[in-house]
Amino acid sequence: MGPTMPPSKKAQSPSSGASASQGMSPPYRQGDAATAASEAEAADLSLSLSASFSKAEDEELTSLSWLHESTDLLNSFSHSGLRSVSPLQDPDGQHPRSPSSSSPSPDDPLLGDAHSAYDLAAGANRKPPYSFSCLIFMAIEDAPNKRLPVKDIYGWILEHFPYFASAPTGWKNSVRHNLSLNKCFKKVDKDRSQSIGKGSLWSIDPEYRHNLIQALKKTPYHPYSPGLATPSTSPPTLPQTFHHSPPLWSGSPLFRKNGGVLLQVPRGVIQNGARVRSQALFPVIRPLPVSPVGSRTSAIRSSLGDYLSRGQDSPSRYSPPPGSEDLQDDHTYSTAKSPSRLCNSQADPSSPLDDDDIIAVEIQSDVKPEPREIPLDSHVSAAATAAYISQQPLRGQRRSSGAGAGTLAGSSLPWTKNRARGISDTLPLKKRRAAAVEKPPESDDEEMKEAAGSLLHLAGVRACLNNITNRTAKGQKEQKEALRN
DNA sequence: CTTATACTAAACACTC
DNA sequence: TGAGTGTTTAGTATAA
């Protein structure tokens, strides 16, 4: 998924496997003379970016103008020739930085010692802080038709993350692995008239799109990422204080493995490729019809506008166009689709949850936040979800999101395509597949309904539960009345 | 220590 | 037939 690379050694090195052994992750070094100017430029841009993001925070995010500003800065940054900068690794390339080790220098309060420690030009050799799921997601979303063959996904990743050009080819396997395993991705039925050769086109499953969007929002490139959003002069924030940042869900694996750790990064350190930031900051959101600052920014606006406006309940904020289902965000992978799908599938589609439901969720969270009370309906905005979840204790979130969703999905990875075992488990793969064809497993929906029904019962999510129970009660009542008659 | 998540490697099957 | 693609399993690493 995700912004993925954990703050671990694994994250720092190209991979824990062959790539590491092949020395794909050169130690951090001071940039050479050719990059000096770029570093200076990066510092300036970083200052501007940080200031912009900080301004957004100071203004309580009541306006999106900062976003345009930031986008412009990102765009300019993208032309600075700077590439990836991993903030998580010590100059020796071995250990993540600790918060205490990243005190800004007086000369450069933004970059601090990081500025001297990290090679701004060496980003191409660093693994991007996105999980493969996010990379794939971005690639597909960046495609005009929102669908790509694997080959083009490779190409997109290579284009945007030069690191992979020199990385061992195992990453392609990982891409395919993700495509196959991750429910967020689905194959598009091949159109014989438009044969693309081998393989299929891959697209994003709308059911899970929110999860991916949410995951992407957890990336360090998200303007709300504390690494960018907090004033540069403030000390690095610890993850525990994160809940103050509205859009962040600190319980997501993406947060845990990236955002949370990136908090330890000296403020203003530019992370990873500038191009990535500018071009794929939020390449996942459909552009708005009207855009004063370009499609990319529109995309961001379409995402964050709704995100903010609904989350902050401000009428002055940008409102998405009708039908932007993307903006009804189910948070992240870890919650998976099951709960929301349950609600959606069982609730009356003609009466989607409205803001009252969101409020109800928020109220619930205020009263007694329990991990199990995660908003379960995808109609609940991402803001509400994130705001809600952000109040959950980290550990609780983790347990609830992981175990809960896992239970729902009947898999340890709720968004993955792990088929329910049991069908001729011991048979050879081929026979198992044949058996699966003959006896298709219970549909995800059915599984989700069944499992999530139980969870919903526990969770007491008012909107969903009421909807479901009302319908159930109504049906039972009608049945009884019919029997009487 | 356990659990969840992400990644990598590998084997195998399928398709072009 | 080989290469690319898709699926699955196993193992490892990390964080909480």
Side-chain angles (χ1 to χ4, degrees):
Chain A
M1 134 191 45
T4 305
M5 296 335 295
S8 56
K9 283 189 294 183
K10 195 176 184 181
Q12 319 320 330
S13 63
S15 78
S16 60
S19 58
S21 64
Q22 295 181 16
M24 294 310 304
S25 181
Y28 290 80
R29 53 181 174 78
Q30 184 70 281
D32 56 20
T35 62
S38 295
E39 291 182 18
E41 188 178 358
D44 292 341
L45 288 165
S46 300
L47 281 165
S48 301
L49 277 170
S50 180
S52 177
F53 292 139
S54 298
K55 185 170 75 175
E57 190 177 61
D58 293 344
E59 294 173 353
E60 293 289 324
L61 305 171
T62 55
S63 168
L64 287 176
S65 60
W66 63 272
L67 194 53
H68 304 169
E69 199 174 317
S70 301
T71 303
D72 292 341
L73 288 165
L74 288 170
N75 287 333
S76 62
F77 182 77
S78 70
H79 293 105
S80 68
L82 299 177
R83 284 297 200 176
S84 308
V85 174
S86 171
L88 305 176
Q89 200 170 25
D90 274 341
D92 62 3
Q94 296 297 321
H95 307 295
R97 285 180 166 271
S98 64
S100 60
S101 67
S102 57
S103 56
S105 73
D107 296 327
D108 192 341
L110 263 180
L111 298 178
D113 57 353
H115 190 209
S116 58
Y118 300 135
D119 180 5
L120 293 172
N125 292 327
R126 304 249 165 65
K127 199 168 191 174
Y130 293 103
S131 68
F132 281 112
S133 296
C134 276
L135 293 175
I136 296 167
F137 177 49
M138 289 189 287
I140 294 175
E141 286 292 324
D142 212 23
N145 296 328
K146 299 291 183 282
R147 56 189 62 179
L148 281 179
V150 169
K151 194 175 181 179
D152 287 353
I153 294 175
Y154 296 157
W156 188 94
I157 292 174
L158 281 171
E159 180 186 356
H160 292 80
F161 298 93
Y163 156 79
F164 289 103
S166 55
T169 56
W171 67 272
K172 292 183 178 179
N173 191 4
S174 294
V175 168
R176 296 196 304 272
H177 167 82
N178 260 273
L179 286 170
S180 291
L181 206 66
N182 199 323
K183 283 182 177 179
C184 302
F185 310 117
K186 65 176 182 181
K187 280 191 291 186
V188 177
D189 290 338
K190 243 181 178 179
D191 184 351
R192 290 290 178 183
S193 63
Q194 296 178 339
S195 177
I196 58 164
K198 292 180 181 177
S200 307
L201 292 173
W202 290 89
S203 64
I204 305 299
D205 188 337
E207 295 278 358
Y208 295 89
R209 195 163 181 271
H210 303 299
N211 296 339
L212 289 166
I213 292 171
Q214 196 67 27
L216 207 56
K217 287 177 182 175
K218 307 300 185 299
T219 67
Y221 308 114
H222 192 290
Y224 291 144
S225 178
L228 292 172
T230 314
S232 61
T233 52
S234 64
T237 312
L238 294 176
Q240 287 75 9
T241 66
F242 239 8
H243 60 275
H244 296 303
S245 298
L248 284 168
W249 173 38
S250 56
S252 78
L254 301 172
F255 169 89
R256 296 197 315 270
K257 295 197 171 185
N258 294 281
V261 170
L262 287 171
L263 285 172
Q264 304 171 3
V265 175
R267 196 74 55 198
V269 171
I270 305 302
Q271 297 155 7
N272 216 335
R275 177 174 184 183
V276 171
R277 297 185 63 173
S278 63
Q279 207 173 54
L281 186 61
F282 290 105
V284 298
I285 316 297
R286 296 191 188 111
L288 292 177
V290 178
S291 168
V293 287
S295 61
R296 298 278 177 189
T297 305
S298 297
I300 300 170
R301 291 176 59 200
S302 71
S303 171
L304 296 183
D306 175 72
Y307 197 63
L308 297 177
S309 62
R310 301 188 66 174
Q312 308 245 341
D313 196 31
S314 169
S316 64
R317 284 176 203 128
Y318 167 76
S319 295
S324 297
E325 33 98 5
D326 302 341
L327 307 179
Q328 300 161 348
D329 212 339
D330 190 1
H331 63 77
T332 88
Y333 295 100
S334 294
T335 52
K337 69 172 179 180
S338 40
S340 57
R341 288 187 69 187
L342 170 83
C343 291
N344 288 336
S345 62
Q346 295 193 354
D348 184 354
S350 66
S351 59
L353 298 177
D354 54 22
D355 287 341
D356 289 342
D357 296 302
I358 298 171
I359 293 171
V361 167
E362 289 170 335
I363 290 173
Q364 283 184 357
S365 69
D366 287 337
V367 172
K368 186 180 181 182
E370 290 288 339
R372 65 185 181 189
E373 291 178 352
I374 292 170
L376 293 180
D377 196 286
S378 64
H379 287 287
V380 175
S381 71
T385 307
Y388 175 86
I389 299 176
S390 66
Q391 300 180 37
Q392 314 303 319
L394 254 178
R395 203 173 183 88
Q397 294 167 28
R398 189 161 203 283
R399 297 298 179 192
S400 65
S401 63
T407 301
L408 287 176
S411 161
S412 61
L413 301 175
W415 61 88
T416 60
K417 300 173 181 172
N418 273 347
R419 282 74 179 168
R421 298 290 193 85
I423 299 179
S424 310
D425 258 357
T426 57
L427 294 177
L429 177 59
K430 193 172 183 178
K431 292 184 178 180
R432 264 183 282 153
R433 286 174 181 165
V437 170
E438 292 174 5
K439 182 185 176 182
E442 193 178 10
S443 70
D444 285 345
D445 277 344
E446 293 302 315
E447 292 180 18
M448 298 301 174
K449 288 176 186 174
E450 184 177 350
S454 301
L455 183 63
L456 272 180
H457 205 67
L458 289 171
V461 175
R462 204 173 64 186
C464 294
L465 191 57
N466 287 346
N467 212 329
I468 294 167
T469 54
N470 286 345
R471 292 178 55 159
T472 304
K474 186 180 177 182
Q476 290 177 345
K477 188 178 180 180
E478 288 174 353
Q479 281 184 343
K480 288 180 179 178
E481 289 179 356
L483 287 175
R484 289 174 189 169
N485 296 335

